[in-house]
Amino acid sequence: SGASIRFSKYKSGSGGPDAWRDSLNKMQEQGGRDSKRPRTTGMELPKENTIHQGSVVCVKDFGVFLQLGDGTKYKDGMMHVTHMGESRVENPEDFGLKMGTKVWVKVGEIKEHDMKYSLDMRYVDQRDGKDLDPYHTKGRLPDNHWTGATGKAFKPATATSITGSSDAASSSAALENKYSEPLPDLGSDDDDSDDSSDDSSEKREKMAKKLKKAKKKLEKARKKAEKAKQKDAEREKKEKEEAKKSSKEAAKKDKKADKEKDSKKDKKDKKEKKEATTAISLDPPSGTRDFFPWDMKQQRWLFDKFREVAGLYGFQEYDAPVLEHEELYKRKAGEEITQQMYNFVDKEGAAVTLRPEMTPSLARMVLSLMRAETGEMAATLPLKWFSIPQCWRFETTQRGRKREHYQWNMDIVGIPGISGSALA
């Protein structure tokens, strides 16, 4: 554009990015021009749609140049005359923009390859720098409270033209009354009278055209206002429906949650009631048995005989926990035994089982006596141990064979071959 060409010509001087404007300021001799302002040393471009406060540093017919902040970060930007008010401003100074004037502006188009950017003050509140167009739609001009040179607030002229059909009708009637007034009598001379009649006729035609044009504009504004009002009503109606729908859904979810809660509570109460009323079985679990005192007397007599015989041959009694690691039996015992284990996962997440036999537990205990560094035993070999463990296997119960049983084990560790049996 012409403004860009003039801008490039001004920048063609030498002496740094600010010398071209300094030369312009030296040529201006009007009072109030601040020739001692801080020089612009910044070379960056601000981000698009950001708000800044700037000072007018150069005034031209096509617009003004502004220094953002103190000029140490950003290059100066230009605000065209079309970006100052509702319509094109003929003279920026008449609009109140003079050297040193501070205004709030919004960054518009940025040309990075030319290192240029444009500024706009129409959509920024001049009192506190608030963004009056946060969605960057650049629609109807708002009241930005710019007082300018007159001291009066700037308000767009279109604000009163869309207030509704009644205002449009009254404005139209006022224009019609204004342009329908009779023209004054200009004399009785025939020629002058004819000329006056012709002139009056032309003026009336022009006025009629203007009135027709004004009516069209008012009608267009009225339709636009009605359309906007209709859209607002539809949006409000939609929001109410969505809110009502959300409220119903929330109430439905709450009702469902309450129903599930009541159902769980009822099930729990029924379960507790059933457990309380259910008769406790007097029989021991399947595959196990009770030992009454007379039964225990017989068992102790038999176990004492086991211990007496083992002691005669130099065997020592040992025992291990009834609860063992499940992996120990999976690795050492046969497939039949692993399928018959009473195994489960405890509350700490460990896989354990009730011992189905004693040999893996014996192997674990003997290995625990071996020194890992040297492989030597902490006990004197051979080891002659015996045990009478209680074992568990989940198998089909038969006559004389329960899931709970006792074993008399006599083991010799540390002598290879069959010589151990001969020693025993």
Side-chain angles (χ1 to χ4, degrees):
S1 64
S4 299
I5 294 172
R6 288 192 292 274
F7 183 59
S8 299
K9 288 181 178 180
Y10 290 136
K11 291 190 66 176
S12 62
S14 60
D18 205 32
W20 61 274
R21 200 180 61 216
D22 291 339
S23 63
L24 291 175
N25 290 337
K26 290 178 182 179
M27 297 170 60
Q28 298 176 347
E29 298 178 355
Q30 299 181 12
R33 309 280 178 160
D34 185 5
S35 60
K36 296 182 180 180
R37 60 170 183 78
R39 288 173 57 83
T40 298
T41 58
M43 297 298 293
E44 297 181 19
L45 297 177
K47 293 184 179 180
E48 188 176 1
N49 297 321
T50 54
I51 306 298
H52 302 271
Q53 188 176 38
S55 302
V56 177
V57 293
C58 184
V59 182
K60 290 296 165 185
D61 293 339
F62 55 84
V64 296
F65 294 94
L66 291 101
Q67 182 188 71
L68 302 186
D70 57 2
T72 58
K73 185 175 182 180
Y74 301 115
K75 293 172 63 68
D76 291 346
M78 190 195 75
M79 182 166 61
H80 197 258
V81 290
T82 57
H83 293 168
M84 297 178 185
E86 176 197 5
S87 58
R88 183 187 179 97
V89 177
E90 297 297 332
N91 188 341
E93 291 190 343
D94 292 343
F95 193 68
L97 298 174
K98 299 180 180 181
M99 290 292 295
T101 303
K102 293 185 179 296
V103 291
W104 288 96
V105 290
K106 187 174 185 178
V107 179
E109 182 183 4
I110 297 177
K111 298 181 179 179
E112 294 186 0
H113 59 282
D114 293 333
M115 293 299 288
K116 300 178 185 178
Y117 63 94
S118 63
L119 299 171
D120 195 330
M121 64 177 287
R122 297 173 298 173
Y123 297 96
V124 185
D125 194 324
Q126 297 302 315
R127 297 174 300 177
D128 53 9
K130 181 180 179 182
D131 192 348
L132 302 178
D133 184 26
Y135 299 104
H136 322 304
T137 58
K138 292 188 178 181
R140 188 178 67 179
L141 292 178
D143 180 6
N144 67 352
H145 300 91
W146 170 248
T147 57
T150 60
K152 296 180 179 179
F154 165 73
K155 293 185 179 179
T158 58
T160 58
S161 62
I162 58 171
T163 54
S165 58
S166 60
D167 293 343
S170 60
S171 300
S172 177
L175 288 172
E176 189 172 3
N177 292 334
K178 178 180 178 181
Y179 296 133
S180 61
E181 292 179 359
L183 296 174
D185 188 7
L186 302 177
S188 59
D189 187 78
D190 294 339
D191 295 335
D192 293 342
S193 178
D194 293 339
D195 293 340
S196 299
S197 299
D198 293 339
D199 292 342
S200 299
S201 177
E202 290 177 3
K203 288 181 180 180
R204 286 194 177 91
E205 289 179 1
K206 289 181 179 179
M207 290 180 182
K209 289 180 180 180
K210 288 182 178 180
L211 179 61
K212 189 175 181 181
K213 190 175 181 180
K215 284 183 177 180
K216 287 183 178 180
K217 286 184 177 180
L218 291 171
E219 183 65 20
K220 187 177 179 180
R222 185 184 63 78
K223 289 181 178 180
K224 188 176 180 180
E226 289 180 354
K227 191 174 181 180
K229 188 177 180 181
Q230 186 178 0
K231 284 184 177 180
D232 291 340
E234 290 177 355
R235 184 173 64 252
E236 186 177 356
K237 184 179 179 181
K238 189 176 180 180
E239 289 176 355
K240 287 183 178 179
E241 290 178 354
E242 290 178 353
K244 189 176 180 180
K245 186 178 179 181
S246 300
S247 179
K248 285 184 177 179
E249 290 178 354
K252 191 175 180 180
K253 287 181 179 179
D254 293 340
K255 189 176 180 180
K256 187 177 179 180
D258 293 339
K259 190 175 180 181
E260 291 178 354
K261 189 176 180 181
D262 293 340
S263 178
K264 288 181 179 179
K265 188 178 179 182
D266 292 341
K267 287 181 179 179
K268 186 178 179 181
D269 293 341
K270 287 180 180 178
K271 186 177 179 181
E272 291 177 353
K273 188 176 180 180
K274 185 177 180 181
E275 290 175 353
T277 55
T278 302
I280 299 175
S281 176
L282 300 179
D283 296 327
S286 177
T288 64
R289 54 186 169 175
D290 296 323
F291 288 89
F292 293 96
W294 45 90
D295 296 323
M296 283 298 298
K297 185 177 180 180
Q298 293 180 6
Q299 185 193 70
R300 186 167 296 279
W301 178 86
L302 180 61
F303 287 1
D304 288 342
K305 293 298 181 181
F306 289 163
R307 291 185 178 93
E308 182 181 351
V309 173
L312 291 175
Y313 289 91
F315 284 84
Q316 295 176 308
E317 187 174 6
Y318 75 98
D319 200 359
V322 176
L323 196 65
E324 274 285 6
H325 299 290
E326 181 183 9
E327 187 64 24
L328 180 65
Y329 289 90
K330 284 185 176 180
R331 294 179 63 180
K332 300 296 181 182
E335 181 179 357
E336 181 182 0
I337 294 178
T338 56
Q339 291 178 352
Q340 295 175 355
M341 290 191 303
Y342 276 88
N343 57 331
F344 57 93
V345 177
D346 65 12
K347 293 183 178 179
E348 293 182 349
V352 294
T353 181
L354 297 177
R355 62 187 177 196
E357 60 174 342
M358 196 64 176
T359 305
S361 297
L362 171 65
R364 177 181 61 77
M365 293 174 66
V366 171
L367 289 173
S368 68
L369 296 175
M370 183 181 294
R371 294 187 178 92
E373 297 81 5
T374 60
E376 297 179 354
M377 292 293 295
T380 304
L381 298 177
L383 301 176
K384 299 178 69 176
W385 292 357
F386 83 94
S387 62
I388 310 173
Q390 182 185 26
C391 300
W392 303 83
R393 292 187 187 182
F394 192 86
E395 57 185 356
T396 304
T397 58
Q398 300 175 13
R399 181 180 178 84
R401 188 177 181 87
K402 303 288 186 178
R403 293 174 180 174
E404 170 198 19
H405 63 277
Y406 291 88
Q407 291 179 347
W408 180 26
N409 298 324
M410 300 180 70
D411 300 284
I412 300 175
V413 180
I415 299 178
I418 62 174
S419 59
S421 298
L423 179 63

